[in-house]
Amino acid sequence: ERLIEEERKRREEEEKKKQDEALKNSVTGSQIVAFARKYVGNPYVWGGNGPVGFDCSGLTKYAYAAAGKSIPRTVRTQYNACDELIYSYDALQPGDLVFFHTEGWNSHVGIYIGGGEFVHAGSPSTGIVRASLYNTYWRSVFFCGGRFY
């Protein structure tokens, strides 16, 4: 009986840690989303790290840093550093990264903002924009989401 009680307490502690982590991530996620939305309309700059202009991974790195989370600089290194990869739209949470195979490999990243939308530094002609994951093009090149704990 003592072992059963210890196991129950251990599980309760693990569940509390998960809930605390989820709360922390939701706060951080909302900060990341708020930051990304603030830059919609700004220019795309190849290799740009902000705040005057960003490329796709420069925007994600800068947004995460603004929320107190350091992530790598490039699309591939951001993908490789994720603590969890998410392959379903339904499991995405605001603040998650979304990765796309736009050149036959994992070559583009944005920030999921909720409601099936993401913010990304698209190109010099579009700048930083909101887009829908359900758009025919983005749906066809979506690879996965990425989450940091």
Side-chain angles (χ1 to χ4, degrees):
E1 239 177 80
R2 191 179 118 249
L3 290 176
I4 293 171
E5 182 62 21
E6 286 175 3
E7 178 65 16
R8 185 188 63 76
K9 284 183 180 181
R10 187 187 65 76
R11 286 185 183 171
E12 285 176 358
E13 287 174 11
E14 281 181 12
E15 186 60 33
K16 177 152 179 24
K17 282 182 186 177
K18 284 182 186 177
Q19 290 171 354
D20 290 347
E21 193 64 38
L23 177 61
K24 183 178 127 200
N25 285 342
S26 69
V27 171
T28 302
S30 65
Q31 292 170 332
I32 293 165
V33 167
F35 181 87
R37 283 184 170 156
K38 182 171 93 170
Y39 282 88
V40 168
N42 282 26
Y44 173 96
V45 175
W46 189 84
N49 292 309
V52 177
F54 298 96
D55 66 8
C56 66
S57 58
L59 175 65
T60 55
K61 179 176 176 54
Y62 202 83
Y64 268 72
K69 178 77 174 168
S70 177
I71 65 172
R73 172 59 176 91
T74 66
V75 175
R76 286 186 184 183
T77 57
Q78 288 176 4
Y79 168 79
N80 288 332
C82 287
D83 294 308
E84 180 181 354
L85 298 176
I86 301 133
Y87 295 94
S88 164
Y89 287 174
D90 294 337
L92 291 170
Q93 296 176 4
D96 285 344
L97 297 182
V98 283
F99 295 98
F100 303 91
H101 280 194
T102 58
E103 298 172 16
W105 52 277
N106 195 9
S107 55
H108 191 63
V109 64
I111 298 168
Y112 184 71
I113 62 171
E117 293 189 319
F118 67 104
V119 170
H120 67 116
S123 69
S125 63
T126 65
I128 299 173
V129 294
R130 287 172 68 153
S132 172
L133 288 172
Y134 299 103
N135 165 287
T136 303
Y137 173 72
W138 292 115
R139 181 185 295 219
S140 73
V141 295
F142 176 78
F143 178 56
C144 68
R147 185 171 299 150
F148 294 94
Y149 298 131

